[in-house]
Amino acid sequence: MITHPIRRSPSKGLDLAIALAGAFAALLSFFLFGWLVWDLVRLGLPKLSWSFFSGEVEDAGRGGGIAPILVSTLGILACCLGLAIPLGTGCAIWLSEFVRRGSAWARLVASGVDLLAGVPSIVFGLFGMVFFAQTLGLGFSILSGGLTLACMILPLLVRTTLTALESLPADLRPAAAGLGLSKTTTTFRLLLPAALPGIVIGITLGVGRALSETAALLFTSGYSTRMPESFSDSGRALSVHIYDLALNVANGSAMASSSALVLLALILLVNSAAVALSEHWLRRRSSAS
Amino acid sequence: MASSRNISLSRCVDRVTGGVLALFALVSGGTVLLLLWNLFAGAWPAIEAGRLGAFFTDAKWQPGSQRDPQFGMVTMLAGSALVTVLAVALALPVGLASAIFHRFYAPPLLARWNRRIMELLIGVPSVIFGFWGLMVVVPAILRIAPGTPGQSLLAGGVVLALMILPLIALTSQAALQAVPSSLLQAAAGLGLGRARTIVSVALPAARGGITTGVFLGLARALGETMAVVLVCGNIPQIPGSLFDPIRPITSTIALEMGYATASHKALLFCAGLVLMLCTALLVGWISFRKNAANPGIGGA
C-alpha cells in the first residue's frame, strides 16, 4: 500500500485516537453494566433463600417472600401469550401468505401494527385501564394486565413471524402448489413448521419484554400482594413490586434488590435463550445451504 | 369427479382459513385505532372543557387544587425533552465509538462477545435501571454536588443514557456492518489509512442507519417511565441547572393516575395523547425515511 509520506503521520495519530476512544467506550459500557449487575448481586443475594421464593409478602414487602408475586407474574404472562401468540402469528401468516404484497389492506394492517410498536408503555397502561378494566369490566386483574401486555408485544410477534416466513426458500410455495396441496395445508403443515425456530425466538423475546414491563401494569393488574386465586384477581407483577418497594416503601430497598436480582436473572435467562436459539438456527441454515 | 370435489373442498377450506386469518390481522392492525379511540374518549372531558389551551398558557401544574387549578404542561414537556436529549447526547458518543471499535479494531472474539452482551443488555428492564439509579447514581450525584436534591435532570439523563446505550450501539454496529466492503476497499486502494477511511467513507455511508438508531433512542427515552420516575425528583419545574429536579410527562401519568378524580384523569389522558403524538412523529419519521430510501417494500 502506497501512502503519501506527509499524510501518514497525522493519519496514524488519528487512527490511534479512534482506536483508544473506541476501546474506552466499549470498556466503559462493559464496566457500567458490570457495576449494575454487581450491585444487584451484592445487595440482593444475602436475602435470597428458599423462603424468599415460597413466602407470602409481609409488612408491605419489607419482609417475607415473593411467592404471590411470582404466581401473579406467571398468570399475567400466560394471559399475555394466550392472546398474543394466536393473534400475532395469524396476522403474520395472513400478511405473508394470504394477501397480495403491497395491497391496500396489507399495507393498512402493517402500518397499524408498526404504529402500535411505537406506543409508549405508559400509554398502553392508560388504554388497558379504560378498555380492559373498565369497558370490558375485567377490573384491576391479572387478565386485564395480561391482555394489555398482549397488545404491547403483538407488533414484535408479527414482525418476527413475518421475517421467519419471508426468509423461507421461495420455491417451497410453488413446489407445494405443484403437488396439489391447498394453501391451508401448505401453510400449516409445511411453512409454519419450517418457520418455527424464528417464531419461537420471537415468542422468547416477547416473554422478555412482557416480564420487564412495569408501566403498562400499574393501572391494569394492580398492586395486590395476596396470592391470586383466579385470573380475575388483582396481582402484582415482579417489576411492579420492585417499583413499589423503591418508591413507596421506606427501607424497602433490600427486598427490592433481591426482587430485582430475581427479575434480572429471569430476563437474562430468557434473552440468552433467544440469542442461543437464533445462533443455533443461523448455523444450521448456513451449514444446510 | 372425486378429485374435482376435493379441489372445491380445499378451496372452501382455504377461504375459511383466509377469513379467520384476515380477522386476526384486522384485530392486530386495528388495535392501534382502538387504543387511540379509548385515549380520546378518556381525554374528551378535558378537550370539551377547553383545557387544551391551558396546557400551554398556564404556568403551573396543580390540577387538583380547589382554589387555583392550573393545567400548565410546559414544565413537563420541557422536562421530557431535556432529559431525552441529554440521554441521547450522552449515549451517542459512547455507543458510536464502541460500534466503530467493534467494526474496525476489535479482534473477532472480542467483537462477538461485545455484540452478545449488548444484545442481552437491550432487554434489561427499565425498572431495574431506575432502581439502580436511585441506589447508585443519585448518591454519586449527591457526593459530587452536595446540597442538591440528587434526584435530578442529570440523574435521569445518565440512567436513560445507560438504558438506550445498547440500542444505539447495536444500530450503529448494524449500520457500519452494512457499508459495502467494495467502498472500504476502494478507499484503501486510494491509499487512505484506516482512520481516514472511517471518518471520510464509513461514517458518511452509515449515517442513515446511525440516525435511525438515534431516533429510536429518542423515542424509547421519551416514552420511558420507570427509569425516570425513580430518579428525576418529580418536581414540575423548568430546571435551572443539571442538578435541579424535573418531572417528565410519563412520570406525571404514573404518579397521579392512581388517585386522580374525573377531570384530573381526563387531563392525564390528554398528556398521554401528547406523548403518543410525539413518539409517533419520531417513529413515523424513521419509517418515512426508510420508505424513501428503498421504496416498494409496501409497509410489510
Side-chain angles (χ1 to χ4, degrees):
Chain A
M1 196 163 75
I2 307 163
T3 47
H4 202 280
I6 301 172
R7 289 282 293 280
R8 180 182 272 174
S9 60
S11 182
K12 268 227 163 124
L14 186 63
D15 193 40
L16 191 67
I18 294 179
L20 284 179
F24 175 73
L27 276 179
L28 180 71
S29 15
F30 281 171
F31 167 73
L32 284 172
F33 286 110
W35 188 9
L36 189 154
V37 173
W38 166 244
D39 269 329
L40 288 186
V41 170
R42 187 173 55 87
L43 297 167
L45 203 57
K47 289 247 176 188
L48 283 191
S49 63
W50 173 244
S51 64
F52 181 74
F53 290 101
S54 63
E56 295 283 325
V57 178
E58 288 162 19
D59 193 14
R62 291 186 199 90
I66 54 168
I69 311 282
L70 290 176
V71 172
S72 303
T73 308
L74 285 181
I76 292 169
L77 197 59
C79 294
C80 164
L81 294 180
L83 177 68
I85 292 177
L87 213 54
T89 346
C91 176
I93 295 173
W94 186 75
L95 280 174
S96 147
E97 310 298 327
F98 280 80
V99 71
R100 200 163 44 78
R101 185 81 57 85
S103 74
W105 280 108
R107 255 199 268 189
L108 215 59
V109 167
S111 39
V113 171
D114 280 348
L115 262 179
L116 200 62
V119 175
S121 55
I122 185 95
V123 174
F124 275 109
L126 292 177
F127 162 66
M129 184 181 85
V130 175
F131 185 66
F132 293 119
Q134 289 167 10
T135 309
L136 296 187
L138 300 174
F140 284 162
S141 65
I142 288 174
L143 196 56
S144 296
L147 298 181
T148 308
L149 286 192
C151 299
M152 203 184 80
I153 68 164
L154 190 63
L156 179 70
L157 292 190
V158 172
R159 186 63 46 204
T160 46
T161 309
L162 201 57
T163 312
L165 284 171
E166 280 172 351
S167 62
L168 292 177
D171 45 9
L172 271 181
R173 293 168 185 94
L179 288 174
L181 297 179
S182 72
K183 221 169 191 178
T184 311
T185 317
T186 311
T187 305
F188 288 94
R189 306 296 290 271
L190 195 67
L191 301 179
L192 270 192
L196 198 62
I199 299 175
V200 170
I201 291 166
I203 293 173
T204 318
L205 290 174
V207 169
R209 282 235 18 221
L211 277 178
S212 55
E213 186 47 48
T214 314
L217 292 175
L218 286 178
F219 317 114
T220 51
S221 62
Y223 281 82
S224 164
T225 54
R226 273 176 305 135
M227 180 65 85
E229 280 162 10
S230 74
F231 286 123
S232 54
D233 279 358
S234 167
R236 188 192 280 196
L238 196 50
S239 52
V240 178
H241 191 52
I242 299 167
Y243 167 70
D244 192 55
L245 283 178
L247 191 69
N248 299 329
V249 179
N251 299 323
S253 62
M255 292 301 266
S257 310
S258 306
S259 309
L261 185 60
V262 172
L263 181 62
L264 186 69
L266 272 176
I267 297 283
L268 290 185
L269 199 71
V270 168
N271 283 1
S272 16
V275 171
L277 272 174
S278 69
E279 278 185 3
H280 172 74
W281 184 38
L282 277 178
R283 208 172 309 133
R284 221 182 47 188
R285 290 194 52 176
S286 59
S287 66
S289 62
Chain B
M1 288 317 268
S3 88
S4 82
R5 205 161 65 212
N6 267 347
I7 287 174
S8 67
L9 181 69
S10 76
R11 271 217 189 115
C12 191
V13 170
D14 277 355
R15 197 158 286 173
V16 172
T17 317
V20 172
L21 291 176
L23 186 69
F24 282 17
L26 279 185
V27 172
S28 304
T31 302
V32 73
L33 294 181
L34 189 67
L35 186 143
L36 271 175
W37 169 255
N38 276 287
L39 273 189
F40 263 115
W44 183 245
I47 300 173
E48 201 181 21
R51 296 262 164 77
L52 281 191
F55 266 36
F56 301 100
T57 51
D58 283 6
K60 288 188 198 153
W61 172 259
Q62 38 194 38
S65 162
Q66 294 293 328
R67 257 181 324 120
D68 177 27
Q70 290 202 33
F71 313 105
M73 295 257 318
V74 175
T75 52
M76 287 174 285
L77 285 171
S80 276
L82 284 171
V83 80
T84 301
V85 170
L86 179 63
V88 173
L90 289 173
L92 180 62
V94 180
L96 190 57
S98 90
I100 291 173
F101 180 71
H102 169 94
R103 173 73 178 84
F104 294 101
Y105 294 91
L109 190 73
L110 193 62
R112 203 161 66 230
W113 274 99
N114 179 29
R115 189 180 168 77
R116 209 172 271 173
I117 289 176
M118 286 294 174
E119 276 171 355
L120 284 182
L121 290 171
I122 210 167
V124 171
S126 50
V127 68
I128 289 187
F129 281 114
F131 175 64
W132 184 74
L134 188 64
M135 302 291 291
V136 176
V137 177
V138 170
I141 290 176
L142 279 177
R143 264 197 302 277
I144 296 168
T148 64
Q151 299 187 323
S152 56
L153 171 61
L154 181 62
V158 168
V159 170
L160 275 185
L162 203 56
M163 199 185 86
I164 60 171
L165 178 60
L167 179 72
I168 291 197
L170 281 173
T171 44
S172 304
Q173 272 175 26
L176 286 173
Q177 217 84 44
V179 173
S181 51
S182 62
L183 220 56
L184 303 179
Q185 281 157 6
L190 287 174
L192 293 185
R194 184 161 55 177
R196 276 271 139 236
T197 310
I198 293 170
V199 174
S200 344
V201 180
L203 283 181
R207 209 183 53 197
I210 295 169
T211 317
T212 302
V214 169
F215 273 79
L216 283 175
L218 282 173
R220 178 116 200 253
L222 187 64
E224 180 48 44
T225 311
M226 288 306 136
V228 291
V229 72
L230 290 170
V231 299
C232 280
N234 298 324
I235 296 174
Q237 62 177 5
I238 306 272
S241 81
L242 281 175
F243 299 103
D244 282 348
I246 55 158
R247 183 199 269 196
I249 302 177
T250 49
S251 305
T252 307
I253 301 174
L255 289 168
E256 297 181 3
M257 191 45 96
Y259 63 83
T261 51
S263 66
H264 185 180
K265 218 174 222 172
L267 287 167
L268 294 177
F269 273 90
C270 287
L273 268 179
V274 170
L275 190 66
M276 175 149 177
L277 196 71
C278 295
T279 46
L281 282 177
L282 286 172
V283 175
W285 175 243
I286 297 171
S287 53
F288 170 74
R289 276 174 15 119
K290 251 191 206 149
N291 286 343
N294 39 1
I297 297 255

